[in-house]
Amino acid sequence: VLATAQSAAQFYGTWVAAEIGQAGEPGPHGLAHQQVRFLALDGISTERTGRPILRPLPDARPISLPEGAWLAPVESLNPDSPDFDSTFYIVFDRQGHNVRVRSLPRCTRGVVVYDRQALLDLPTDEERIDFLRTEGRMIYVNRFLGTAVEGTNR
């Protein structure tokens, strides 16, 4: 999926954001699975908010991720912001380099792959963060090559 986003950035000659968020039919614990959408980053709005301007890439369809394995940005490991379900972004510039766009909420350079049901079975955010740190698989995106590199659990 990341290679597709990187290739799209180079092919279209624009910055591309891989938007990772929930999809599917609502179930007892939210939506059934996650999906990835590829969006062009057309700049930053001139409004006071300074939010990025995103639009779908031509002919880019959402890609469904497996139901059991979920992704969360590595920032979810921070006890001050344990948000495991919100949409987040991984961005590539025109040359295919992984970049962090500060004005894009939840823009990350890495993800934690985890078992969704096992996380939901834990009662507190503290236990969930500990679970992600010990059982999750951290994957970082190489800033220049866009390749996935597995991190180590601490």
Side-chain angles (χ1 to χ4, degrees), residues 85-100:
D85 293 327
S86 295
T87 297
F88 65 96
Y89 301 87
I90 298 174
V91 179
F92 295 91
D93 68 11
R94 289 179 184 90
Q95 289 78 39
H97 300 148
N98 176 240
V99 293
R100 186 153 186 208

Side-chain angles (χ1 to χ4, degrees), residues 34-127:
Q34 287 178 308
Q35 70 178 8
V36 178
R37 293 187 326 142
F38 300 116
L39 307 170
L41 180 70
D42 287 338
I44 307 298
S45 75
T46 56
E47 297 174 14
R48 204 168 36 158
T49 61
R51 301 289 295 237
I53 301 167
L54 298 168
R55 66 173 168 79
L57 283 175
D59 302 321
R61 294 188 174 154
I63 297 171
S64 293
L65 298 177
E67 290 185 25
W70 277 57
L71 304 177
V74 292
E75 291 80 8
S76 296
L77 298 175
N78 181 347
D80 296 331
S81 61
D83 184 355
F84 315 109
D85 293 327
S86 295
T87 297
F88 65 96
Y89 301 87
I90 298 174
V91 179
F92 295 91
D93 68 11
R94 289 179 184 90
Q95 289 78 39
H97 300 148
N98 176 240
V99 293
R100 186 153 186 208
V101 179
R102 296 200 188 284
S103 60
L104 185 60
R106 299 185 51 83
C107 184
T108 188
R109 285 198 174 129
V111 298
V112 179
V113 182
Y114 66 94
D115 179 330
R116 171 81 169 159
Q117 191 56 53
L119 182 88
L120 292 173
D121 289 343
L122 299 170
T124 67
D125 283 343
E126 185 177 291
E127 290 175 288

Side-chain angles (χ1 to χ4, degrees), residues 127-146:
E127 290 175 288
R128 290 176 179 173
I129 291 170
D130 186 54
F131 171 80
L132 289 177
R133 285 186 177 146
T134 58
E135 302 298 323
R137 304 227 24 197
M138 288 177 246
I139 307 290
Y140 292 93
V141 181
N142 181 293
R143 198 169 131 200
F144 298 106
L145 302 175

Side-chain angles (χ1 to χ4, degrees), residues 4-23:
T4 303
Q6 181 185 34
S7 297
Q10 293 169 323
F11 178 78
Y12 288 108
T14 188
W15 288 38
V16 171
E19 177 188 68
I20 302 165
Q22 292 184 352

